Amino acid sequence: MSWQTYVDQSLVGSGKMTYAAIHGLDGNPWATSAGLSISPDEAKKIIAGFSNPSGFYATGLFAGKTKYLFIKGDDTTLIGKKEDTGISIYKTEKTIVIGIYGPGQQAGDCNNVVCNVGQYLKSLSY
């Protein structure tokens, strides 16, 4: 399966998020849904934040030029919120999997799908 297929079918296609992306740990995008643009710079800052997620409490979590209030995170998962939208990010050995949910979608549902896809990629050594 191509990286774009993971984004289009497994992530956005689940109906639990509006946008999704997969970036390599160098920050470069591997696949992105239509309408979402997360710069390599934004991705690098997210990736660096996994080593000390508490820093996002002060700065917020930026993705696609949107600032999310940082809710919680650890060395594998980051979660943010902005009004009735939010973001869930899962780090694997070689990627970050990003899901952004919109109005009418649930944070927990988005997070479950993002984490499941991330864990599957991790099981394949990605």
Side-chain angles (χ1 to χ4, degrees):
M1 191 167 8
S2 75
W3 295 112
Q4 194 62 50
T5 303
Y6 281 108
V7 166
D8 294 340
Q9 293 179 6
S10 300
L11 293 165
V12 176
S14 71
K16 306 299 181 187
M17 63 200 73
T18 306
Y19 304 107
I22 298 174
H23 281 248
L25 293 185
D26 60 358
N28 289 315
W30 291 10
T32 304
S33 62
L36 178 64
S37 179
I38 297 174
S39 72
D41 228 24
E42 286 177 320
K44 286 177 190 175
K45 288 176 184 172
I46 291 169
I47 293 159
F50 278 101
S51 62
N52 182 17
S54 63
F56 288 125
Y57 286 116
T59 63
L61 185 57
F62 285 86
K65 297 182 184 172
T66 300
K67 180 180 180 181
Y68 296 91
L69 174 68
F70 181 64
I71 303 297
K72 67 179 182 175
D74 55 33
D75 62 347
T76 307
T77 307
L78 302 173
I79 297 174
K81 182 162 179 53
K82 180 179 181 177
E83 298 168 5
D84 56 355
T85 68
I87 188 167
S88 177
I89 306 167
Y90 187 91
K91 182 180 175 205
T92 72
E93 294 173 28
K94 297 179 183 177
T95 71
I96 55 171
V97 179
I98 303 166
I100 299 174
Y101 65 91
Q105 295 172 315
Q106 300 299 311
D109 292 341
C110 175
N111 189 54
N112 285 340
V113 173
V114 167
C115 288
N116 287 340
V117 170
Q119 289 166 354
Y120 175 72
L121 293 177
K122 218 173 193 180
S123 76
L124 300 175
S125 297
Y126 280 101

